[in-house]
Each structure stands twice: as structure tokens, then as C-alpha cells.
Amino acid sequence: MESTHLLTGSKKRVKIHPHTVTAKYTTHTPYSPQPGVHTHFPQPGDEGYDDAPSFEDFGSFLEETSDKKQLTESRRWPLTLFGSKDKDTTNKPQAAGGGDGSEGGARAAKGSGKGVGEQLASFGEASVSASRLTWVGLLGAALAHGCLIVLTRLASERFSLGPLFLLLVRSIVQLLSVAVPLHRGENPFGPEGYRLRLLCYGIAYSLSLCCAYSSLSFASPGNATTTWRLATTALSATLAFLLLEERLGLPDGISMAAGLCGLGLVLLPTADESNSVSPTDPVVFWRGAFGWSLSALAGLWMALALVGYRSLKERVGVGTALFTVSWTGCLLAPASLALLQEGWSWPMSVPAWGLVLGLVACSVAAFLGMTHALTRLHPALVSASQSLEVPVAMLLHLAVLPLAPTAPEVVGNVMVVLSVGWLVALKLLPARGGGRRQREEYEEILDSPIK
């Protein structure tokens, strides 16, 4: 807003901005009042004095007109195809009508400062509770992944169901997730401008699953799963830094490195495995090498998928992501079946179908927990937390198939459990102290003469 004031034939231009009030004067050194240049500020009783905003109004005025709010509002997109604008227009009169209440609340907060502390405390508690729910979902996803490993092995050994066939059935059943975006009025294929990135995410995720399930035909399930998780965790940390510029803190990096060392101990070959296979048999050697390569490639694709969804977290919902993974899996799983010439074998009994449905339920639960956590946590932390699937699968194998684990496997699984437990404690326990420090710093800013 510019105002031009004529005094003694000279012009003075005053620009009033929400943050500063600047007046352009002719520069003279040293400063002294010059003839023809007058400085006048509105005083009580002058014309237009009551129209100027008071300092109490600057808080709400900045909140409504700040560039940050306008930028975030320009980035927002409607969650529904219809009715989002109506909601915004219905909320505006309420905000306008509550002006007196907001002014009184601002004065009350200014007078005591107690309301600000209470609000910050409530915000901190809400953040802590949300973090706890996120980590509970992650730990539940790790448990579901462990059950998924055992169910896949049981389906292959007792009912002769191939891993890729199980992946195809799982993808077909998960197509029902299209009801979630349709119910919310969203486009199942993603918002405009982000569909290509969403497609790349779905292809990367489905390729990871195809490589991981294919590796089960060439390597032992335990080694294939452990290699997949190890590669996913290490590569997701690297790709998140290179593509998203998201760094890990030193405590997070230490705990993640400890978990990776534990997974490496689990991968150490046992004495029976080293003696049972002749090292001079090239077919067995290259078959095992191909299985390990597929597991590592699955980790690469999964790391790309995690980083890809991390960049889409504000635009694509979890239901839309699940549907994308499902329909891309329906296309890539048959192609993998034809490429590897894996036979078709349908479940022929009620227990077999029950096992398949349980496998689908575990896969959906694991996907939901992981994908929701990606909206709040680093992709490497999400993948590192899923390393618990290895100890869970070992315990379930002991319950189903009583085979004694080796010493390196026990030590490695204990290291994985301790690293994930330390990671969870690191994220949740200092939350109250951090919130208290932030509240103290904010109160210091309120008490300072410069605001």
C-alpha cells in the first residue's frame, strides 16, 4: 500500500508492508532534518490513525497474508474431486465471524503467556502420540512380514504353490483396494501431474517383489529374505541422500549399521551348507549366485520404491499406492512366471486357500504399516525397522519346524532386535524433553524485546 503526502511542494512515498514500514528519504550525511523533508507519523486523533493495524492484529494478519501460507495453500490439492471448494467457502464465514474471539484470545495469550505454553504442550503430546502410532504400525508390519515369510515357505513345501503364483494371487486380491480412492473421490491412478511418478513407483515395487519371490526358487528362503532386507536398508539410505537430500543422524546411522551387521551374521554359511554342496559343481554355484543376485536386485528396486513414495507422500494416499502396486503386480507377475517357466498350481483344499488368504492379509497389513510410516520417517529407518522380520521368521520356524539355529544366527538376530529397539527408544523417549526445550526457546522469544 502506497500513500503520497504533499508537503511544501515535495513528495514523500511511504510503503507499508506487513513486516516493515519503510519511507524513502533523500540521503544526507550526517543525518539532520533537511528543509522540505518532513517525517510525520500518525498520532492519536489524526485522520486515518484508527485505520492502521495495531500490533495485536499483526499476528492474525501475518498468518493470513504470509508467503508461507500462500505457498502451502497453492501446493494443496483437493482430496475429493467434488465439494472441496464448498468446504473452504463454508469455513470462511466462520473465521470471519470469530474475529473478536481470536482478538481476545491473542490478547489473553499476550497478557499471560500461559496459553502458548499449553498449546505447545498439547502439540508436543499430539506429535508424540502420532509417532508412537507410527512405530506401532511399523513393528506390526515387521511382524506381518515375518509371518509372510513363514506362510510362503509353508505354501511351497506343503501345498506345492510357487512363490510367483502366490504373488499373482496376492496382487489380484489386492485390486479390491481400488474402493478406497473411489470412496474418497480420488483418481485411482493418481492426481494429474504425478501419474508418471506414481507409475514408476508401482513398477519399482512390483519388480522388487517379482525379483524377491523369484529368488526363493534359487536360494534358501532365509538367505534370500535377509539379503533383500540388507540391500534395501543400505540402498535406501544412499538413494534418499542422493535423490531427496535426506540425511540420517549419527545415532540413527549407528543403530542402522548395527542392524546391518546383525543381518550379515545371519547370512554366514553354516558348516552343513558348506560341506553339502560341492564347490566344483558349476551349476549349483551359478544357480545360487543367480538367486543372491536377484535378492540384491530386489533390494535395489525396493529402495527406489520407498524413496519414490517418500517424494509423493503429500500427493498420493496409501490406498492409491496399494492399488498401483496391485495392478502393476498383476502385469509383471505373469511375465515373470512365463520368463522363469514356473508352473501353475492352484490350491486344491480349504487349508491351502486359508493359507493363501492369510498370506494376502499379512501382505496388506505390512504394506499399510510401511507406507504410512514413509510419510513421517526416513526410508532407511522404515526399512531398518523391518529387519525384525528375520528374528520373527526364525522364531516361527522354530515353532513350526524345530530346527536349532546356529550361533551366528542367534547373535545376528539379537543384534537386529537390539538395534531396532534402540532406534525406537531413540525416537520416542526424548520426545518430551525435546518438546520442553522447544517450548522454553519459544518463551524466550516471547520475552525478548525483539519479536
Side-chain angles (χ1 to χ4, degrees), residues 162-172 206 209-210 213 329 333 359:
L164 287 176
F165 172 77
L166 294 175
L167 177 61
L168 178 60
V169 174
R170 160 184 167 178
S171 300
I172 293 174
S206 299
L209 294 180
C210 290
Y213 277 72
L359 189 145

Side-chain angles (χ1 to χ4, degrees), residues 30-78:
Y31 173 78
S32 61
Q34 301 296 322
V37 179
H38 301 271
T39 57
H40 175 72
F41 298 96
Q43 300 298 323
D46 293 348
E47 183 180 358
Y49 175 79
D50 296 333
D51 298 334
S54 62
F55 284 100
E56 287 81 7
D57 299 331
F58 267 86
S60 59
F61 183 73
L62 287 175
E63 183 180 356
E64 295 297 330
T65 61
S66 63
D67 296 336
K68 183 176 180 181
K69 180 177 180 181
Q70 294 176 1
L71 182 61
T72 53
E73 287 183 351
S74 64
R75 290 180 178 176
R76 290 179 183 175
W77 61 291

Side-chain angles (χ1 to χ4, degrees), residues 56 64 77 83-85 88 97 121 155 168 220 255 306 315 324-325:
E56 287 81 7
E64 295 297 330
W77 61 291
S84 60
K85 294 183 178 180
D88 296 336
L168 178 60
S220 62
S255 61
L306 296 181
R315 298 291 181 176
T324 303
V325 170

Side-chain angles (χ1 to χ4, degrees), residues 37-157:
V37 179
H38 301 271
T39 57
H40 175 72
F41 298 96
Q43 300 298 323
D46 293 348
E47 183 180 358
Y49 175 79
D50 296 333
D51 298 334
S54 62
F55 284 100
E56 287 81 7
D57 299 331
F58 267 86
S60 59
F61 183 73
L62 287 175
E63 183 180 356
E64 295 297 330
T65 61
S66 63
D67 296 336
K68 183 176 180 181
K69 180 177 180 181
Q70 294 176 1
L71 182 61
T72 53
E73 287 183 351
S74 64
R75 290 180 178 176
R76 290 179 183 175
W77 61 291
L79 294 179
T80 56
L81 293 179
F82 306 100
S84 60
K85 294 183 178 180
D86 298 338
K87 294 180 180 179
D88 296 336
T89 55
T90 54
N91 291 331
K92 287 181 180 178
Q94 296 178 0
D100 299 336
S102 63
E103 183 180 357
R107 291 177 180 173
K110 180 187 175 185
S112 62
K114 188 175 180 181
V116 175
E118 293 177 354
Q119 288 180 2
L120 290 176
S122 63
F123 291 159
E125 292 176 358
S127 178
V128 170
S129 61
S131 298
R132 288 174 180 172
L133 290 176
T134 301
W135 281 102
V136 167
L138 268 180
L139 297 180
L143 178 62
H145 272 128
C147 297
L148 193 62
I149 296 171
V150 178
L151 291 177
T152 303
R153 185 172 181 177
L154 288 177
S156 178
E157 293 178 355

Side-chain angles (χ1 to χ4, degrees), residues 60-395:
S60 59
F61 183 73
L62 287 175
E63 183 180 356
E64 295 297 330
T65 61
S66 63
D67 296 336
K68 183 176 180 181
K69 180 177 180 181
Q70 294 176 1
L71 182 61
T72 53
E73 287 183 351
S74 64
R75 290 180 178 176
R76 290 179 183 175
W77 61 291
L79 294 179
T80 56
L81 293 179
F82 306 100
S84 60
K85 294 183 178 180
D86 298 338
K87 294 180 180 179
D88 296 336
T89 55
T90 54
N91 291 331
K92 287 181 180 178
Q94 296 178 0
D100 299 336
S102 63
E103 183 180 357
R107 291 177 180 173
K110 180 187 175 185
S112 62
K114 188 175 180 181
V116 175
E118 293 177 354
Q119 288 180 2
L120 290 176
S122 63
F123 291 159
E125 292 176 358
S127 178
V128 170
S129 61
S131 298
R132 288 174 180 172
L133 290 176
T134 301
W135 281 102
V136 167
L138 268 180
L139 297 180
L143 178 62
H145 272 128
C147 297
L148 193 62
I149 296 171
V150 178
L151 291 177
T152 303
R153 185 172 181 177
L154 288 177
S156 178
E157 293 178 355
R158 297 190 178 182
F159 300 102
S160 300
L161 300 176
L164 287 176
F165 172 77
L166 294 175
L167 177 61
L168 178 60
V169 174
R170 160 184 167 178
S171 300
I172 293 174
V173 176
Q174 288 176 354
L175 287 176
L176 298 175
S177 61
V178 70
V180 176
L182 290 179
H183 176 70
R184 295 181 176 179
E186 302 174 357
N187 193 322
F189 298 98
E192 294 183 1
Y194 296 89
R195 292 173 184 173
L196 181 59
R197 293 168 59 182
L198 182 61
L199 175 62
C200 294
Y201 159 76
I203 292 176
Y205 200 102
S206 299
L207 281 176
S208 175
L209 294 180
C210 290
C211 292
Y213 277 72
S214 299
S215 65
L216 299 178
S217 302
F218 301 95
S220 62
N223 291 338
T225 305
T226 307
T227 305
W228 182 25
R229 183 56 55 196
L230 192 151
T232 301
T233 304
L235 292 174
S236 60
T238 305
L239 292 176
F241 174 72
L242 295 177
L243 301 179
L244 302 179
E245 296 183 355
E246 292 188 2
R247 297 174 176 83
L248 285 171
L250 182 60
D252 298 338
I254 293 175
S255 61
M256 192 183 72
L260 293 179
C261 291
L263 293 178
L265 289 177
V266 175
L267 286 175
L268 290 178
T270 61
D272 296 336
E273 291 178 353
S274 59
N275 295 329
S276 61
V277 178
S278 176
T280 58
D281 191 355
V283 176
V284 176
F285 172 78
W286 288 111
R287 183 180 178 87
F290 183 68
W292 285 67
S293 301
L294 284 177
S295 300
L297 186 60
L300 174 60
W301 286 117
M302 181 56 69
L304 285 172
L306 296 181
V307 173
Y309 185 79
R310 176 73 175 172
S311 65
L312 296 171
K313 61 179 182 178
E314 296 179 355
R315 298 291 181 176
V316 178
V318 179
T320 305
L322 179 58
F323 174 69
T324 303
V325 170
S326 301
W327 73 261
T328 51
C330 290
L331 298 178
L332 294 177
S336 301
L337 279 169
L339 183 62
L340 297 178
Q341 297 181 356
E342 185 177 316
W344 294 74
S345 56
W346 289 91
M348 301 303 295
S349 61
V350 176
W353 278 109
L355 191 145
V356 170
L357 293 179
L359 189 145
V360 173
C362 289
S363 65
V364 172
F367 181 87
L368 294 179
M370 279 186 58
T371 309
H372 173 71
L374 284 174
T375 61
R376 299 178 60 90
L377 299 175
H378 193 282
L381 298 181
V382 174
S383 180
S385 65
Q386 298 308 295
S387 301
L388 278 180
E389 65 182 0
V390 179
V392 169
M394 185 191 71
L395 294 177

